[in-house]
Amino acid sequence: MLEVIKALSALTVLIKVKYTSRKRPKSVQNFSGQYPCYNLRGRSDVLRVGTGMVVWVQKYTESDNKGTCPCVKCQHSDTPSKVWGVVNVQTARHVVFDASEVRQSRCVVGYDDNKSPGVSLDGWDVMFHNINIEGDWYNFKCVSCDLELIEKLDTTRRHFQDLFLKVRDKYRRFALLGKLTVIVSHPHGCPKQVSVGQWTRKTVREAEYVKYNKYTYTTCTCPGSSGAVVFRPGYVGYSYHPHSGSNPEENYSAEAQF
């Protein structure tokens, strides 16, 4: 259990967003009140922070014919790298809303304490263009020509997946009894923290022959924790729900299928 939480922590990133899309709606179903950052539309002078998780890594070499690395460093270089990588990051949609915000975002890997500032990945593109806003989850692509970082993230992702399956099988019989819930996040944009609690309720919504579920939990969060994975060891279903928000009574996740 400790090892899988360590691996989850290594895949957790701080997201910094410099721009707020003009396409953010004023209101969205399942969000009480005004949609986050609606009043900041079009502005690039207010930095927002959130949390995400690396869920996939792809490395490209010259033989793949994918061109040169589109990271900021290579865009301003006379010799851009022909070997580079794409990192898929999952977060909540109210943290990063669309492609215009992705291109003005950075993900910081390895910001574990004030002595370890971490390494940045440049936001590049969205992973899926038509994602349910009400569900409040989002996947986007980051790029880097730091091959050591790309390979390390890919190795860690594979290690986490292996541990995830082992923990799921070992603790499956306790999933409903213990209801353990772990969140690794960057509260207030600070170094990552690990919070432990329990999930308290599961809500299921059916739409167009698809079932979506979300969870409420006691696991502590703060502003900046949005988008962090709500990890429920032993649960058989989809366990990558992003943290979405809180109200005076409880914290709650974004929706996901299964």
Side-chain angles (χ1 to χ4, degrees), residues 3 7 17 21 42 56 74 89 98 102 114 116-117 123 128 132 143 152 211 258:
E3 290 304 311
V17 189
S21 172
W56 191 257
C74 286
V89 175
D98 61 13
V102 169
N114 289 324
S116 305
F128 308 107
N132 191 329
V143 291
K152 181 178 180 180
K211 289 185 178 181
F258 312 113

Side-chain angles (χ1 to χ4, degrees), residues 197-216:
Q198 293 181 316
W199 64 268
T200 55
R201 187 173 70 255
K202 175 183 177 180
T203 304
V204 179
R205 179 176 68 89
E206 295 191 26
E208 299 179 354
Y209 309 104
V210 178
K211 289 185 178 181
Y212 299 91
N213 60 61
K214 63 186 298 183
Y215 289 82
T216 59

Side-chain angles (χ1 to χ4, degrees), residues 103-217:
R103 297 185 191 105
Q104 295 292 320
S105 299
R106 283 193 168 189
C107 291
V108 183
V109 180
Y111 183 27
D112 299 332
D113 53 55
N114 289 324
K115 295 181 180 179
S116 305
V119 181
S120 292
L121 299 166
D122 296 330
W124 181 45
D125 199 2
V126 297
M127 190 69 185
F128 308 107
H129 288 274
N130 299 314
I131 294 182
N132 191 329
I133 299 177
E134 291 80 4
D136 197 35
W137 66 272
Y138 205 57
N139 282 54
F140 65 98
K141 301 175 184 177
C142 291
V143 291
S144 176
C145 55
D146 184 340
L147 300 185
E148 183 179 350
L149 175 62
I150 294 297
E151 291 173 356
K152 181 178 180 180
L153 286 174
D154 191 36
T155 299
T156 304
R157 182 195 63 80
R158 296 173 188 273
H159 181 54
F160 171 77
Q161 189 63 30
D162 180 57
L163 292 171
F164 173 86
L165 295 175
K166 290 179 179 178
V167 167
R168 182 197 66 182
D169 294 341
K170 184 174 182 178
Y171 293 95
R172 182 178 299 180
R173 64 185 185 277
F174 300 115
L176 295 178
L177 178 64
K179 298 185 177 180
L180 175 64
T181 305
V182 179
I183 295 177
V184 183
S185 68
H186 286 277
H188 305 286
C190 296
K192 67 183 64 164
Q193 302 287 326
V194 179
S195 301
V196 179
Q198 293 181 316
W199 64 268
T200 55
R201 187 173 70 255
K202 175 183 177 180
T203 304
V204 179
R205 179 176 68 89
E206 295 191 26
E208 299 179 354
Y209 309 104
V210 178
K211 289 185 178 181
Y212 299 91
N213 60 61
K214 63 186 298 183
Y215 289 82
T216 59
Y217 35 86

Side-chain angles (χ1 to χ4, degrees), residues 178-183 194-202 215-222 225 230-232 243 245-253:
K179 298 185 177 180
L180 175 64
T181 305
V182 179
I183 295 177
V194 179
S195 301
V196 179
Q198 293 181 316
W199 64 268
T200 55
R201 187 173 70 255
K202 175 183 177 180
Y215 289 82
T216 59
Y217 35 86
T218 63
T219 315
C220 294
T221 61
C222 280
S225 297
V230 182
F231 178 51
R232 304 181 315 284
H243 171 63
S246 62
N247 55 44
E249 290 77 34
E250 57 196 1
N251 291 332
Y252 53 88
S253 72

